[in-house]
Amino acid sequence: MDQPPEARHLKLNGHVGFDSLPDQLVNRSVSQGFCFNILCLGETGIGKSTLMDTLFNTHFDSTPSKHDLPGVKLKSNTYELKESNVRLKLTNVDTVGFGDQINKEDTFKPIVDYINSQFEAYLQEELKIKRSLHSYHDTRIHACLYFIAPTGHSLKALDLVTMKKLDSKVNIIPIIAKADTITKSELQKFKAKLMSELMSNGVQIYQFPTDDETVAELNSSMNAHLPFAVVGSTDEVKVGNKMVKARQYPWGTVQVENENHCDFVKLREMLIRTNMQDMVEQTHSRHYELFRRCRLEQMGFTDSESRSLKETYELKRSEHVATLQKKEEEMRQMFVVRVKEKESELKESEKELHAKFDSLKKQHADEKKKLEEKKKAMDDEYNLFQKRKAATIASQQAAQQAAQAATLSGKGKKK
Amino acid sequence: MESLSKREAFFKNEPPTAKFDPTTRDKLDHKMDKEKENGHPETSGKAPKELDGYVGFANLPNQVYRKSVKRGFEFTLMVVGQSGLGKSTLINTLFLTDLYSADYPGPSYRIKKTVQVETTQVLLKEGGVQLRLTVVDTPGFGDAVDNSNCWQPVTDYIDSKYEEYLNAESRVNRKTMPDNRVHCCLYFITPSGHGLKPLDVEFMKRLHDKVNIIPMIAKADTMTPDECREFKKTILNEIAQHKIKIYEFPECDDEEENKLQKKLKDRVPFAVVGSNTLVSVGGKTVRARQYPWGIVEVENLEHNDFLALRNMLVRTHLHDLKDVTNNVHYENYRYNKLASVATKGKEKAVGSKELNLETAEDEDSGEKYYSVFFSLHKYGI
């Protein structure tokens, strides 16, 4: 196929109507619904659940956790939210037990594993032969809110280590929690210190995109305010004649939505109203692609010109089939050997049985013979005895007769 | 839909590179707040969580809109039909531009010995939206004396584009993949008035599970409305008889829209007339064809279905065609390609528009193979 010539720019002589394409796309995504997954990372009690409730103006069911958990666990909850015909499937992943252990070396492992397993699940779906990507519930983490404790000094060692491990896997948005404990001047210094520390350690936090002219200005001005110092509260306090979300102290009221008091409004603006879609896209096009590349290379796939994925797959498949066949052979061999053994065993016992049977039979025959002999002997004796008896009787009779005859003749003589 | 009009206003009143106006945004915020104070949040059938105030993710569609405009759109349209049916004129009329002109002649002027598949790429811009349109045409299709297998170059082209995309998608190092797959095929039927020709049937049968086919009756000004109606009925019957799956315009969520669209949907196959010459009719200058006996207006729904075609194709369902190509036809191709590797050459023609794949042992073993594949690697094999 010859290469098509360069694309020509053509002028339209009227209204064709394909300027409705973005609307068509939007209609489709609205009817499909949106999906967003947030990971909240921070020490126990730093205000993660409260901030989530405040951000989304609702109460997510969560129970405050204790400090004595042996390891870090991740709890994820999915909620279906709706706001004026836009449906959002929000998944809130909370970390419990973060930073509570005495030895925090392995703290980041469960988190990294969780993020990787979400990528893995998506990769598996993408590599399936029969797949349905357009209806797949995306569970990959799109944003990670990292809660920094308001010490006023610098990042904790645990924070640095964790963020370094996560920055290539997820969009990290660091925020200073419980910002109502820092004064404005301290906050300036703290923010500057944090940003310089992050930069000097090479941590890539999420920068709001400045390539789209419509929001470039807004985003770049917000980038300068990073990290946002936030206060969360779901309690409402009457200020002036309105009920606002605030925290009431004896010395004053900290209003959550007052830009003078904290950066909550900025966070909500950036996270939800302006850059949500961009975060989803960055997760898919940058972090997921990186994961996929590493994973496929790990499995032995390369992009060499000689072999495409399909060919490598075929090769691996034939290898796999060969291994399977070998295993099958082995099993069959073993089976044959076992059968032979059993057969010989059985033959042995059969032989024994036959021998036994034969000897028994012989015994039987012998005894029978003996018995017959005995019987014969007895019969002979009996016959003899009968003969003798008959002879005795006969002789007795003869004797009696002789005696009678004698007496008769004697009587005759006497006359 | 007020958000729709806001977007229109966004692009109509200001030049394309206007900065986003914070004041309009504030107005939207206050309107939303009022809504929340006065009304109550909607409850859908599934009863999603109620929000006690305006959060702001209702702005997500606008974010999507903004990003898509920045990215621009691309679309590939294929036109197939015998020479002289008015394909080039129709494309020029459809996009109101000189795609085909004296310098870039249409397919009927470029016929070679064998059927070729050739592409033309143009960049169009309207209302801030950039569209990269690729028109694929097939000079020589159906024009030879012996037309056996003249669809082969077409199927080969479509498959090669899917193959390209599949390879790009399967690379380890993926960059943004340009989507050159054919999204729609306009098939021109000769207005004989009798029915489909064997060539038409053969072509459609071979391509209906690879690409979205929209059949069209060309040069519709040769038929009276009654003849046209009968012809359409015959065509639809033959299509059903041969079990050809042409592209079906989907239902819309909005009831009103649905009713309007149904009227246009019922005109498939579209009987069209194309023209780029302007004629003045009743005071207005319209595109039309002037005959001694009258003037056939292109954009008059009583004269032909051009408006229906343009509205359904360009204004309402352009993106849906891309989605169906991506989610159904491409997935079918991919499935067949990979399943044949996994089950050694047993190809299944899978495919209906709703991706209703019947379960069979092949598929299960194929899927199982991948999961086995993964677990083996987990254990370092």
Side-chain angles (χ1 to χ4, degrees), chain A residues 332-348:
Chain A
R332 199 181 300 140
Q333 294 286 2
M334 214 159 60
F335 181 68
V336 165
V337 163
R338 281 239 187 97
V339 164
K340 275 212 179 105
E341 278 178 20
K342 210 60 196 266
E343 225 178 37
S344 58
E345 250 179 67
L346 285 173
K347 272 210 178 111
E348 279 293 318

Side-chain angles (χ1 to χ4, degrees), chain B residues 62-351:
Chain B
N62 287 340
Q63 296 178 27
V64 172
Y65 187 90
R66 212 181 58 219
K67 279 198 170 285
S68 66
V69 167
K70 186 163 190 322
R71 237 192 336 248
F73 295 88
E74 37 188 18
F75 193 78
T76 306
L77 181 68
M78 179 182 263
V79 271
V80 184
Q82 289 174 297
S83 70
L85 282 181
K87 302 187 291 292
S88 325
T89 318
L90 185 77
I91 295 295
N92 283 351
T93 319
L94 198 60
F95 291 100
L96 292 174
T97 182
D98 287 329
L99 220 128
Y100 294 112
S101 58
D103 298 325
Y104 297 92
S108 305
Y109 295 101
R110 294 175 358 238
I111 299 179
K112 306 196 177 61
K113 283 225 178 83
T114 51
V115 176
Q116 303 286 321
V117 178
E118 288 167 6
T119 61
T120 317
Q121 260 199 22
V122 291
L123 283 169
L124 305 171
K125 196 157 172 172
E126 185 176 60
V129 177
Q130 228 193 21
L131 174 67
R132 172 127 54 115
L133 177 72
T134 310
V135 180
V136 183
D137 54 28
T138 54
F141 179 84
D143 287 330
V145 176
D146 180 5
N147 285 314
S148 333
N149 297 326
C150 68
W151 50 80
Q152 198 59 42
V154 180
T155 33
D156 289 343
Y157 178 82
I158 296 177
D159 281 342
S160 74
K161 290 298 160 195
Y162 283 147
E163 177 85 24
E164 242 177 59
Y165 193 81
L166 178 63
N167 283 339
E169 195 188 38
S170 312
R171 284 176 66 84
V172 174
N173 269 312
R174 295 199 291 205
K175 296 158 203 119
T176 47
M177 300 174 281
D179 188 2
N180 288 325
R181 302 171 289 187
V182 179
H183 300 124
C184 176
C185 174
L186 295 178
Y187 189 75
F188 286 72
I189 300 170
T190 326
S192 63
H194 291 172
L196 290 173
K197 297 215 197 94
L199 176 62
D200 300 336
V201 173
E202 266 310 305
F203 179 85
M204 287 203 270
K205 265 175 44 185
R206 279 165 199 279
L207 258 77
H208 67 157
D209 52 6
K210 287 187 193 290
V211 75
N212 299 315
I213 298 186
I214 299 183
M216 313 213 305
I217 302 172
K219 299 201 166 175
D221 50 355
T222 57
M223 293 189 290
T224 66
D226 289 329
E227 287 171 356
C228 194
R229 210 182 349 229
E230 282 307 308
F231 190 36
K232 284 187 186 181
K233 240 195 281 183
T234 322
I235 292 180
L236 288 174
N237 280 339
E238 287 189 23
I239 285 179
Q241 190 188 355
H242 291 276
K243 296 202 184 35
I244 294 171
K245 295 187 280 276
I246 58 173
Y247 175 72
E248 276 174 33
F249 295 95
E251 301 281 318
C252 182
D253 289 330
D254 190 16
E255 268 308 305
E256 295 249 341
E257 274 291 309
N258 228 2
K259 268 190 256 169
L260 289 170
Q261 281 188 12
K262 190 141 177 24
K263 284 202 220 131
L264 299 180
K265 258 193 262 188
D266 289 338
R267 288 175 177 245
V268 173
F270 298 115
V272 290
V273 172
S275 164
N276 263 337
T277 43
L278 297 165
V279 174
S280 99
V281 171
K284 292 197 299 175
T285 352
V286 291
R287 259 166 278 277
R289 286 175 66 76
Q290 188 158 45
Y291 290 107
W293 49 89
I295 301 179
V296 180
E297 293 169 45
V298 166
E299 288 178 7
N300 188 335
L301 270 177
E302 290 177 23
H303 291 193
N304 71 6
D305 297 331
F306 174 79
L307 271 188
L309 171 72
R310 188 187 61 188
N311 285 351
M312 295 304 277
L313 179 63
V314 178
R315 293 190 183 177
T316 346
H317 293 99
L318 202 61
H319 212 270
D320 184 66
L321 285 163
K322 286 179 70 169
D323 285 342
V324 172
T325 311
N326 187 37
N327 297 339
V328 179
H329 298 296
Y330 172 68
E331 290 296 322
N332 276 349
Y333 173 83
R334 182 178 177 277
Y335 176 84
N336 282 332
K337 212 63 206 280
L338 296 182
S340 70
V341 169
T343 61
K344 287 226 161 155
K346 199 168 176 186
E347 288 221 356
K348 267 177 65 120
V350 204

Side-chain angles (χ1 to χ4, degrees), chain A residues 205-227:
Chain A
I205 59 172
Y206 177 71
Q207 297 283 341
F208 305 117
T210 47
D211 49 1
D212 186 358
E213 307 95 10
T214 42
V215 289
E217 222 179 76
L218 179 67
N219 276 345
S220 51
S221 71
M222 289 296 181
N223 273 332
H225 287 266
L226 282 176

Side-chain angles (χ1 to χ4, degrees), chain A residues 300-311:
Chain A
F301 291 107
T302 48
D303 259 348
S304 57
E305 279 308 313
S306 54
R307 289 204 236 129
S308 64
L309 184 83
K310 196 158 53 80
E311 286 165 1

Side-chain angles (χ1 to χ4, degrees), chain A residues 74-85:
Chain A
L74 291 110
K75 281 192 308 187
S76 92
N77 292 312
T78 311
Y79 306 96
E80 296 250 357
L81 306 173
K82 189 164 169 165
E83 192 174 57
S84 90
N85 93 325

Side-chain angles (χ1 to χ4, degrees), chain A residues 44 65-75 94-104 106-111:
Chain A
T44 314
S65 66
K66 306 201 280 280
H67 286 268
D68 55 3
L69 291 158
V72 178
K73 284 217 208 337
L74 291 110
K75 281 192 308 187
D94 216 350
T95 48
V96 287
F98 187 80
D100 278 336
Q101 297 78 32
I102 296 179
N103 181 358
K104 296 182 248 197
D106 293 337
T107 313
F108 62 84
K109 280 218 186 79
I111 303 165

